Amino acid sequence: MSTKHRYDAIVVGAGHNGMVCAYYLARARRRVLVVDAADAVGGAARPVGFGDLTVPFAAHLDYGFSRRVADDMELARHGLAWASNDIAGTAFGENGARLEWSLARDDTPSPLPARDAGRWPAFRQRMARFASVIEDIAGRVPPCLRGDGADARAWLAIAWRLRRLGAEDMREFLRIGAINIFDVLEETFDDRLLKGALATEAVLGHGLAPRSPNSVLTFLMRMASGGAAALPRGGMTALGEALRSACAARGVEFRLGTAVKRIVIENDRAAGVELDDGEIVSSSDVVSSADARTTGLDLIGAAHLDTGLVRRLCNVRGNGCTARVDLLLDDVGGLERDLLVRRLLYAGDMDTLERAFNDSKYGNVSSEPLVELVFPTVIDPAQKTGRHHLATALVQYVPRTADDAGERALDAARGVIGRMLPGLFERVVDTRTVTPADVENATGIHGGHWHHAEIALDQFFMLRPVPSLARYAMPVAGTWLCGAAMHPGGGISGLPGRNAAAQVIASGGRP
Ligand SMILES: Cc1cc2nc3c(=O)[nH]c(=O)nc-3n(C[C@H](O)[C@H](O)[C@H](O)COP(=O)(O)OP(=O)(O)OC[C@H]3O[C@@H](n4cnc5c(N)ncnc54)[C@H](O)[C@@H]3O)c2cc1C
């Protein structure tokens, strides 16, 4: 590796994964520059103005940022604190039915029929055991199928982890992995609202419905990160600021408001990046947190890749279907106060979710979507920086290609939220919508998908996002991937960034 480069590594993207990757590289004494097209750090959770408030662009809750990464980066020392580390949920169904639950706690959801209440502890404990296997896998760099002794040992460790479940659990793990969350919940519980609420945990952020294959995997992934929904003090943007501060303390440099036009390749290996103003910044390695297709086809260029890989990158499934709707409120008085500190989900039942997904399969915004609603300024009064309150809703299923997707998502949300909290919309003074197409335009993430690429068994672990890229390396030497498109996927966990850094460091070279 040449010593004339200005940096050892340039990381494309100051989202969570880009910053986590940059931190670990800097901790291994690399000189690191992070470049982002946006003016602020945080990627899909970067700050944007809305009325008299600052809100995250898209991501509104922490569903499981890696504790290990948070400890390594000493994020508490860099200002990260929690307004709530487990916002309990209330699910709403038809005819005003309600259910209270949290996936992160042993408490039995309530109210439940006696038979379901009796079955809950065993179900939750078994799912938590299965989720611990997934958690173990999520923290690993996927081994090769035909690798060396280290790969063989990694496969053995995974097999042993599975075997430690015991024969009965192992059989059940393999059985339910092959079906879907609809069938698993249907054979376990009677209560329609409980099944709807649990199914939302499996499908939120995914282009899936309860009957879709892979929905058990996504449910376990949700539980693998603890199952809580948390809110940093100051909001999700505060997490980005803490990451930036930790990086800066390790000497990472940032260039914001500057897009990377292309990755410069010389003599068949990375030599740096060309910025949008034409400046070339040299480095030995370039690690991209943009999705794999964008990195491969737009930043590296198809001419440097074989045609088989180009075809596979074009076929990565990742059409976003989750939108965000923000409501600026002049007041929250008169609303049911206890509900405003909870995570409110309109799930209906599993059939409601299935029908909503069907609409999106045919390009339509569902009129009865899945909605997750929270009130950040009530849960965390420090976020109320002006006279207004904020309600944020994730609205699913909103296909990327739908006409007038933002207006239709807002209309659909209005109907559903009106049933959960009558009178809320009378307090709304302004709205803001972010559709999958907006996510694509603002972040450059092809498809605007929550996970940059759908999570499914054929795009998971050593197959994510496509088999030949699963170990975070692009085929051009010195080019790498560290974003949510990589194992173990998106949501703000920091794990793809951490795993990618381990690979860059293991590849040798500097210092
Ligand atoms: C509507 C919506 C709501 C969501 N809500 C949540 C939530 O509540 N909780 C949660 O955990 N997850 C949520 N997610 C998912 C989460 O936001 C993503 O999984 C996560 O942001 C991925 O992090 P990342 O660092 O890999 O990539 P990103 O956050 O997408 O960051 C990539 C960065 O790369 C930059 N970039 C790309 N190309 C270039 C280039 N050529 N030059 C320079 N910079 C470039 C972009 O500007 C961006 O800042 C949501 C997603 C969506 C779409």
Side-chain angles (χ1 to χ4, degrees), residues 12-18 35-38 42-46 58-63 236 258-261 289-290 294 299 322-324 372 394 434 439 442-445 448-452 482-485 490-492:
V12 182
H16 297 83
N17 283 316
V35 183
D36 202 302
R46 67 171 176 257
H60 71 166
L61 291 177
D62 167 26
Y63 300 106
M236 287 300 282
T258 309
V260 169
K261 192 152 65 176
S289 64
T294 302
L299 299 184
T322 312
R324 171 169 166 143
E372 180 191 66
L394 297 185
V434 179
V439 174
T443 64
I445 302 308
H449 193 283
W450 179 299
H451 294 274
H452 291 191
C482 71
I492 291 169

Side-chain angles (χ1 to χ4, degrees), residues 22-103:
Y23 173 85
Y24 283 104
L25 293 176
R27 197 178 74 167
R29 301 187 27 240
R30 266 67 171 176
R31 292 166 299 160
V32 184
L33 173 70
V34 178
V35 183
D36 202 302
D39 289 328
V41 301
R46 67 171 176 257
V48 294
F50 177 45
D52 50 11
L53 302 174
T54 299
V55 301
F57 170 68
H60 71 166
L61 291 177
D62 167 26
Y63 300 106
F65 189 79
S66 162
R67 275 164 297 202
R68 182 160 169 196
V69 173
D71 289 347
D72 283 351
M73 295 184 73
E74 299 180 279
L75 293 184
R77 197 165 67 78
H78 290 281
L80 183 66
W82 298 99
S84 170
N85 55 20
D86 179 17
I87 307 169
T90 297
F92 291 76
E94 287 159 3
N95 305 321
R98 288 186 191 179
L99 177 90
E100 300 194 347
W101 96 107
S102 163
L103 262 191

